[in-house]
Amino acid sequence: PRQEAALLQVCHSKITPWPGWRAVRTPEWLFARLKTQNWLLFDLASDPLGLKNLVGQANPKQKELQGVLAGLMQGVGDDWGGA
């Protein structure tokens, strides 16, 4: 089956002693969040360079991508490192 989204992670380590960030990338969208807040949302179909961050604007895609990201994180056992 075709994979519709990719999980991106920067996790806690000696180099990054914070929980890092997590993101989901689809062909049309990029959504990233910190543990405590949403960080980035780009509509790559209309903004391929990712210059306009849509986080904080009313956008139903953000909620959908939050769910996709949570599912991908669960699938690899990522719980923010217990942080």
Side-chain angles (χ1 to χ4, degrees):
R2 180 177 177 214
Q3 184 171 337
E4 297 295 325
L7 173 65
L8 309 166
Q9 301 169 290
V10 171
C11 302
H12 175 81
S13 72
K14 290 180 181 179
I15 297 170
T16 57
W18 51 288
W21 54 265
R22 311 297 190 268
V24 60
R25 170 71 159 84
T26 71
E28 296 86 20
W29 291 90
L30 173 66
F31 171 71
R33 66 168 294 123
L34 306 172
K35 182 177 181 183
T36 58
Q37 67 186 27
N38 296 331
W39 182 29
L40 302 170
L41 177 65
F42 296 118
D43 178 353
L44 300 174
S46 65
D47 178 17
L49 298 177
L51 299 175
K52 184 174 181 184
N53 187 358
L54 301 173
V55 161
Q57 299 179 18
N59 192 316
K61 196 68 175 180
Q62 182 171 312
K63 186 168 183 153
E64 176 187 334
L65 291 170
Q66 284 176 305
V68 172
L69 179 58
L72 289 170
M73 288 174 63
Q74 183 178 23
V76 297
D78 183 352
D79 64 354
W80 292 95

